[in-house]
Each structure stands twice: as C-alpha cells, then as structure tokens.
Amino acid sequence: MPRALDGKTAVVTGSGNGIGRAIALALADAGAGVVVSDVLVDDGNRTVSEITDRGGRATFVAADVSDTTEVESLITSAVEAFGGLDILVNNAGIGGGKVRLHEIEPDDFDRVINVNLRGTYLCSKFAIPHFLAQHDGRIINTASTYGLIGAPNAAAYCASKGAIINLTRQLAVDYGPDGIRVNAICPGYIDTGLGRRAEQLTPDEFDAATAVREKAAGMQPLGRQAQPVEVANVALFLATDAASFMTGAIIPVDGGCTTTFNYGEAS
Ligand code: ADP
C-alpha cells in the first residue's frame, strides 16, 4: 500500500532524543528517507537503528545547528544520501536553565538563541534553495507553548521560541508563492523524561522536577503529559499533502494548556 511520504526525503534536527526522535520515526514509517541529525552521535545512530530495524530508510549526519559550516554540509549530505530534499524539521533545541533574566549570563543567553533561533534560520537557509528548485518544500518548526505565553524562569527560551513562531509566519509569506509550506508546532508538557536536562539533575532533583511537571500537566484540560508520538503525529500531518493548504499555522499540541487560565478551586 502506498504511504504518504514514499519517495520523500526529510532532515530532522535534534532527532537523537525526545520529540525529534519520535518525528524521525513517524516520517520514516510514512515512507520518507530520513536524515537523522544531532550533536550526540550515539543517540542519533540509535534513532537510525530503530528506523532501519523496522524496515525504514535512515542515515545519521552529526551537525551542530548553530554552526554555519556544519549545517551547510548537513543539507548537502542529505541531498546526496537520498537524491533530494523535501522536508525540513527544525527541532534541535536547548533550554536555558531555570533562572530569571537578570541572572542569565550573556553567553548562556546567546547559546539558547544560537541553537534554537539561529539553528532554525541556518537549516532553512540551506534547505530553501533545494525547495525553490523543485517548487515544493515543507518546513516544520518545533516551537513551544513557551513561545505563546510568558512562562516563569525561562526568558531566553521563551524569547527564542516566540521568535521561531513569528519567523514561521514570515517564511510562509515569503515562500508561499514558491510552493513552500512553513508551519510550527507548539508542544506543551511532553513526557520525554525531562529530555537532556535530566542529565544535569541528581536523582532527587529529577524526581522533584518530574513531580512538578506531572502536577502541572494534571491541571490542564486533558490532564496529563503527552507521549512524544502525539506531537510527531501532528508533524507528520504537516509534512504530508493532507496539509496542502496549511502554511504559517502555529499549532499548539498541548492538551489544551494554552486555551485557558487554570481556575482551580475558584471555578
Ligand atoms: P525534547 O524533550 O524537547 O525533545 P531533548 O533534549 O530530548 O528535548 O531533545 C533535543 C535534541 O536536540 C537532543 O537530542 C539534543 O542533543 C539535540 N540538540 C541540542 N543542541 C543541539 C545543537 N546545537 N545541534 C543539534 N542538535 C542539538
């Protein structure tokens, strides 16, 4: 049976872990050849093995999305690996630590902006010429609910994700006439075991942070965290022709958490 992305090629940045890994698996299951990219070589290769073990097509290319030269060669390698490029998922990202703005060191602020925002710019910059040549391309940006609202102790992260959201709209304007669709997803509380942040925590800190997230997620309309595949399903949809009239859309995948203030007992 033909699949929605048979014959397509995708680059998914930050696909060694978490949401990016789930997106890579979903695109591969739909028939795409997937270039898995990450700074973490072992994690990226693990995602590739998961894809090939289930009969999919994937290869790994290490790249730091904030590095111009590495991104240029990532896109070149992707085109060479599968003979073209159709889908770019700008997913690589880092958090900014749990501090208020006056406590953020300038280098730490720059790092968050460089990975999250500049990385999205660079990967798009080098992918778009291929999309222009074929008058077809799909860019999916992983933003965040933190790009839609002000969240506590996350100034750099909120700023970077808010910028990705309006960059998504801007790219939709510039490249719509060229057949390139650009959309963003805004994940809320996703059960990725705190992602890479877990490595910086002691077991007690991990348990405390997990409990805080579960409690916060429990107060949202759907009352739980999502599995990464529930975000990946939306990215997959945006990558396919099923979303052929969608561009510049900013789609919360957040269990309803940005739809309402939590009234708790007051209601
Ligand atoms: P989430 O839970 O939001 O999916 P993770 O931390 O689990 O977040 O995954 C983010 C991925 O992005 C990780 O695999 C991480 O190694 C990757 N990543 C972080 N910084 C960069 C970067 N500069 N270039 C490429 N990949 C990166």
Side-chain angles (χ1 to χ4, degrees):
M1 208 173 91
R3 291 170 296 176
L5 296 180
D6 278 337
K8 302 288 189 201
T9 298
V11 168
V12 185
T13 66
S15 47
N17 291 286
I19 294 166
R21 170 186 162 272
I23 293 173
L25 292 171
L27 299 185
D29 285 348
V34 177
V35 176
V36 172
S37 188
D38 208 290
V39 279
L40 300 175
V41 175
D42 290 348
D43 297 24
N45 279 322
R46 189 184 55 217
T47 303
V48 169
S49 299
E50 288 179 277
I51 290 171
T52 52
D53 284 353
R54 51 214 262 181
R57 297 178 297 137
T59 188
F60 176 69
V61 179
D64 177 342
V65 294
S66 67
D67 184 292
T68 309
T69 310
E70 291 186 24
V71 171
E72 184 168 19
S73 73
L74 162 64
I75 300 299
T76 305
S77 310
V79 171
E80 281 169 5
F82 293 111
L85 183 62
D86 307 284
I87 299 156
L88 169 65
V89 183
N90 286 310
N91 171 81
I94 56 172
K98 292 275 170 196
V99 287
R100 291 189 292 165
L101 183 139
H102 70 280
E103 299 160 317
I104 302 173
E105 295 303 327
D107 284 350
D108 294 337
F109 185 87
D110 289 350
R111 183 80 194 130
V112 173
I113 298 296
N114 282 338
V115 174
N116 298 359
L117 179 58
R118 178 181 157 88
T120 298
Y121 150 71
L122 281 177
C123 294
S124 303
K125 171 181 171 57
F126 290 109
I128 283 172
H130 297 281
F131 298 159
L132 288 173
Q134 63 199 17
H135 201 81
D136 187 356
R138 300 107 199 250
I139 298 176
I140 296 131
N141 295 326
T142 303
S144 170
T145 52
Y146 278 30
L148 296 167
I149 56 169
N153 301 312
Y157 189 79
C158 284
S160 72
K161 294 296 185 175
I164 288 170
I165 285 170
N166 214 30
L167 179 62
T168 300
R169 296 191 183 101
Q170 198 286 329
L171 294 178
V173 170
D174 270 359
Y175 296 106
D178 299 297
I180 302 172
R181 297 190 293 102
V182 189
N183 295 289
I185 47 181
C186 296
Y189 292 104
I190 313 300
D191 184 8
T192 56
L194 299 183
R196 308 291 311 162
R197 186 157 77 87
E199 287 173 11
Q200 291 149 18
L201 305 176
T202 65
D204 283 351
E205 286 170 337
F206 178 84
D207 289 346
T210 301
V212 166
R213 271 181 85 82
E214 283 174 356
K215 186 171 178 209
M219 291 191 296
Q220 311 307 330
L222 291 187
R224 63 175 176 84
Q225 297 190 69
Q227 292 305 306
V229 69
E230 296 180 278
V231 180
N233 287 338
V234 180
L236 169 62
F237 164 69
L238 291 171
T240 67
D241 289 338
S244 54
F245 203 55
M246 291 184 70
T247 196
I250 310 302
I251 306 176
V253 188
D254 66 354
C257 79
T258 51
T259 58
T260 183
F261 176 76
N262 175 32
Y263 290 91
E265 297 300 312
S267 60

